[in-house]
Each structure stands twice: as structure tokens, then as C-alpha cells.
Amino acid sequence: MEPSAREPLVRKPSSTYRTFPGSAAGRLDKEYLESLRNKRLYLAVFAAVLGNFNFGFALVYPSPVIPVLEAYPVPALKLDPHKASWFGSVFTLGAAAGGLSAMVLNDRLGRKLSIMFSAVPSAVGYALMGSAQGVWMLLLGRVLTGYAGGVTSASIPVYISEISHPGVRGMLGACPQIMAVLGSLILYALGLILDWRWLAVAGEVPVLAMIVLLCFMPNSPRFLLSQGKEDEALRSLCWLRGKDTDYAREYEQIKDSVRKQSRRISCAEIKDPFIYKPILIAVVMRFLQQLSGVTCVLVYLQSIFKKTAVILKPEYDAALVGLVRLFSVAIAAVSMDKAGRKILLFVSAGIMLASNLTMGLYIHFVPPSHNGTTTNETLVSSANHDAEPTNYITLIPLLATMFFIMGYAMGWGPITWLLMSEILPLKARGVASGLCVVVSWLTAFMLTRFFLPVVENFGLEVPFLFFAVICAGNFLFTGCCVPETKGRSLEQIESYFRTGRRSFMR
């Protein structure tokens, strides 16, 4: 049997790029993929994405905490609007720093050890927030958990992409987003029953579970080969694929690919379209992903709902939105290897555009007595009172937010992470993934830091109308610049950017 776990099932001969020539290549690829034992692969992915669970948990920690600390009886911990905006946004500064660190860590320590390293600042950060005696401890804890999130954002998608095969790479590539969403949902749910200090303590649990499980997982075969550790790479692939499979053929294919890109990237090589085009696509996607407003919505979710006075209590609204987000990203995981990446990106951008536009127009045109907004009132200070809804029309902000999160979770959430790990060339993957994370979280910092001042000075509708314009840009960018990678091996994707021949991607 001549397998190729790096190649998709090929139905048409001759016109398609194949690692193994001959008319039986499609049949052989199918036989190999069906022979694989994926249980250990799934276990390795689960161990890694616990880092994303922790990331999602930490990201939305301010959502239930800010309303509590606004009215906290201890002056040293009480948040005013200025401190609240820093509490919500400083996490993203830490994430940007983590992305910078990942540029070095990914190539020096490897993907797995980089993920394990993130557990240290994460555990310390939660400990600081759980035992906080002043706002500075809360802010430092947010920075440290953000730093850990930045490292995992750059390392986990690459690790998953490099240990997976085309048959499940799309589904597994959505797992980081699924677990981040699940982490946020668990945070919202626990926020209904736990004090804010115990929420921080609860954040330690997935961190400890992740580091224990990863101790027993292998490193990426591609990383090991890039370090000259051929025997260890072969053992890693054997563990992931199963002893009774013809994994040696896949190993030779990976080895050949790594050999072609064994040198580190130089400044001169950045001018090569093979290098700069995929990096530029990945960076712009992460930039547009954040400009669509998702981080602002998630971080200030309960406060937004209090501002618009939806019928349900804001904490229940937040949990409901988290549940919808989880359901939507699960749909994306199932659909990604069937419908394709681009069609989901189009659908996602369209839903987000409609949702943001609906939210902005609702806030602008519905009288304040119906939507709960008041002139010259900050979003944070509005959390100090509960406006009584007078009409079922106040369900519109909840539904608009639910559809926005659903649209994001179906496409621009998980697929942006997946494409980053798929299209980046191997020799630049560590540095470029870190660059993507830095751009993403610096953008998120600017948005979350100035979201509250913009709302105070111009109204809540302004940021949502801005997000709607960006979502229209996402739609156009997908159509013009994003390649379809469904069912393609990493080698085929690299060949597409190297040669520009679309036949490699058919």
C-alpha cells in the first residue's frame, strides 16, 4: 500500500498535483486515511487546546467582574470608568507580548514546549487576581494571563496543523476556537454562581490539566525534523498514526518538505511572493478579524446588554450568547472539510455585517426610553442601574448580538486561525504566526481601550456601524485574496504560493 496522509483524496487523474503518481493515487490516499488510528491524535489535540480553553476563560473574565467591582465596597479594588477600560483592554497588550515571544519560542523550544511554557504566567496571573488587594494586582494578573494567551494563540494552531493529516485537519483546526468559546461559556456560567475571586481560582484548573497531559504528548514531527531529530520524529509520527499503518511513507514526504525549507528565513527572501503573500494574507485576516469588533463585544458583553436594557438579566444574556457561540463554532468544525473555508468566510462576513448594522441602527433610531440608552452616559456607569424594559423590541440587541457571535464563530473566528497555520511557509511559520498574533492583539487593545471613550462621547451606535463597514471589507477580502485550502496537503498549499499555479489547488 502506498499511502500519503498529506494528500487529499484525488478523484481526477493527470490534472492534479500528487506526491505519488499513477491512477491509483486517489485509491491509495483513501486507503491510507482510512487505515489511520486517530485516537492518539485526538488526545494530543485535546491536551493542546486546553490552552485555548484557558485563553477563552481569561479573555472574558472582565465581563461579569466589571459590574461587581464598579460597586465594590473596598476602595482599593473599586473600578471607575478609566480603570475599567484598562482592566478590559490590558489583557490584549499581554497577548501581543506573548505573540512576540512566540516568534522565538516556537522555533527554539518547539510548539509543544511553548504551549507548556504558557502555563507559568497563566497560573501566576490567576493567583494574582484571586488574591488581589488592589487594582494593580488585577491589572498585572490580566497582563500575565494575556501573555499566556498570546503564546498559545501562536503555538497551538501550528502544533495542530503539523500533527494532523488532511482528512481531519479542518475539523481539528477548528478545535482551538471551539475550546476558546467553551472556556468563555464556562466563565459566563460560573459567573452566575461564583464570586469574582473564585472565578480566578477556577481558571487554574485547565492550566494544570493542560501541562500534565502535554507531558505525555509528542512534539510535532516537522519541528523535530527541522532540528535534525529524525529518529524522534519518526517515533512521534508512529505514535500519532498508529504502528500498524504505513506511516513511514508519510514520514519521507514530510522529511522531503522540511529538507527543502531547512534554512531559516532571511530578509532577502521576504521579497519572494512564496514568503510574503501567505504572510500578508494571514496578517490582514487577523487584523480584519479584530476590527470586526468581536473582542469588544465579548469583553464588555454584560455592560452592553445593560446599556441596551434587554429583557433578560445581562448575566443570563451573556451565558446565552456564549451557548450560541459554542453551537456555531461546532457547526463550522463539521462543515469546514465539506463546504470549504471560503464559503464559510463569506457566510460569516455577511451575517456579521447584517448583525452589526442592525445593532447600530437600532441604538440610533429607537428612542432611549425603549432601548435604555441615555445621553452622555458612559457604558460602564450605566452598569450601576438596571433599566426596566418597556417593550419586547429590546430583544433586538440580544438577537443581533447572538447572530453576530454566531456569524463570527462560523467563519472568521476558527477559519482565520486555521488558515494561519495552513498557508504560512514552514521556514517562516514560527516567526509569522507570532507576527499574526502581535498584529491581532495590538488591534484588539486599541479597540477595547478606546471603545468606552467612544461610546461616552459619540454613542454606542458608532462602534457598531464602524464594525459593519469592516465586515463588508471582510467579504471583499475573502473573494479577492483568500485561497481555498479544503482537503489540500500543506505541501500542495506551499506549491500553490511558490508557483502561482491554481492546478495545485484543484
Side-chain angles (χ1 to χ4, degrees), residues 1 17 40 68 77 85 107-108 156 186 191 208-209 228 270 301 330 392 451 470 472 487:
M1 177 168 65
Y17 168 78
R40 288 182 174 180
V68 173
L77 289 170
S85 68
D107 290 332
R108 296 292 176 86
I156 293 175
I186 295 299
L208 296 176
I270 296 178
L301 190 57
Y392 279 96
F451 181 79
I470 296 300

Side-chain angles (χ1 to χ4, degrees), residues 47-265:
V49 296
L50 283 173
N52 293 107
F53 180 96
N54 175 56
F55 169 81
F57 191 97
L59 174 65
V60 301
Y61 180 75
S63 182
V65 173
I66 285 177
V68 173
L69 293 185
E70 284 174 339
Y72 206 63
V74 180
L77 289 170
K78 189 172 183 177
L79 296 180
D80 57 30
H82 177 72
K83 291 176 181 177
S85 68
W86 276 106
F87 184 62
S89 63
V90 76
F91 177 92
T92 56
L93 274 185
L100 280 173
S101 300
M103 292 183 180
V104 177
L105 295 175
N106 270 340
D107 290 332
R108 296 292 176 86
L109 296 180
R111 291 44 159 153
K112 188 188 86 166
L113 289 181
S114 296
I115 300 168
M116 295 177 70
F117 169 78
S118 71
V120 177
S122 185
V124 174
Y126 281 126
L128 282 170
M129 290 189 290
S131 61
Q133 301 301 311
V135 173
W136 71 270
M137 293 180 71
L138 291 172
L139 296 180
L140 182 57
R142 288 285 287 161
V143 170
L144 289 174
T145 53
Y147 177 85
V151 173
T152 56
S153 295
S155 304
I156 293 175
V158 175
Y159 177 72
I160 292 174
S161 177
E162 291 186 347
I163 67 174
S164 303
H165 56 80
V168 295
R169 198 176 64 239
M171 178 186 68
L172 295 182
C175 286
Q177 186 69 15
I178 290 175
M179 290 298 282
V181 170
L182 183 59
S184 298
L185 175 60
I186 295 299
L187 185 281
Y188 291 140
L190 291 178
L192 299 174
I193 57 175
L194 292 182
D195 177 74
W196 63 273
R197 290 188 186 274
W198 282 105
L199 280 178
V201 174
E204 301 278 10
V205 176
V207 177
L208 296 176
M210 178 191 73
I211 199 166
V212 169
L213 285 176
L214 280 177
C215 289
F216 302 97
M217 300 300 117
N219 216 322
S220 158
R222 281 175 181 77
F223 170 74
L224 294 172
L225 283 170
S226 70
Q227 301 297 304
K229 301 177 180 179
E230 296 186 4
D231 292 340
E232 190 175 346
L234 185 60
R235 290 195 299 270
S236 172
L237 193 62
C238 173
W239 191 90
L240 290 166
R241 301 292 185 261
K243 292 182 179 180
D244 56 345
T245 63
D246 201 355
Y247 62 89
R249 293 297 182 91
E250 182 183 357
Y251 170 79
E252 290 300 326
Q253 184 183 354
I254 296 172
K255 186 177 179 181
D256 181 62
S257 175
V258 171
R259 188 184 300 115
K260 291 176 181 177
Q261 302 184 57
S262 58
R263 295 179 296 105
R264 291 187 181 277
I265 188 172

Side-chain angles (χ1 to χ4, degrees), residues 96 121 136 138 214 232 330 333 341 358 405 423 437 451 457:
W136 71 270
L138 291 172
L214 280 177
E232 190 175 346
R341 281 57 156 160
T358 299
I405 293 299
I423 67 177
V437 171
F451 181 79
N457 291 291

Side-chain angles (χ1 to χ4, degrees), residues 19 47 57 73 76 107 127 185 189 256 274 279 301 330 364-366 368 391 403:
T19 301
F57 191 97
D107 290 332
L185 175 60
D256 181 62
F274 163 63
I279 293 177
L301 190 57
H364 183 74
F365 287 108
V366 176
N391 198 311
F403 275 102

Side-chain angles (χ1 to χ4, degrees), residues 276-315:
Y276 78 76
K277 281 187 177 180
I279 293 177
L280 191 60
I281 290 172
V283 169
V284 173
M285 287 192 74
R286 295 303 293 269
F287 180 65
L288 292 174
Q289 179 197 49
Q290 288 296 341
L291 281 183
S292 68
V294 64
T295 302
C296 290
V297 172
L298 293 176
V299 169
Y300 300 118
L301 190 57
Q302 288 193 29
S303 297
I304 290 172
F305 283 145
K306 286 189 176 182
K307 179 72 172 175
T308 52
V310 292
I311 269 181
L312 302 176
K313 290 184 178 180
E315 52 267 34

Side-chain angles (χ1 to χ4, degrees), residues 401-456:
T401 304
M402 288 170 62
F403 275 102
F404 170 75
I405 293 299
M406 180 181 73
Y408 173 82
M410 286 179 62
W412 275 85
I415 294 177
T416 304
W417 295 74
L418 174 62
L419 277 174
M420 180 189 78
S421 63
E422 287 184 325
I423 67 177
L424 293 178
L426 178 62
K427 66 168 65 178
R429 197 167 290 161
V431 172
S433 61
L435 176 64
C436 288
V437 171
V438 170
V439 170
S440 176
W441 292 114
L442 284 180
T443 306
F445 169 73
M446 296 299 292
L447 288 174
T448 52
R449 175 64 184 87
F450 294 106
F451 181 79
L452 299 181
V454 168
V455 170
E456 180 178 0

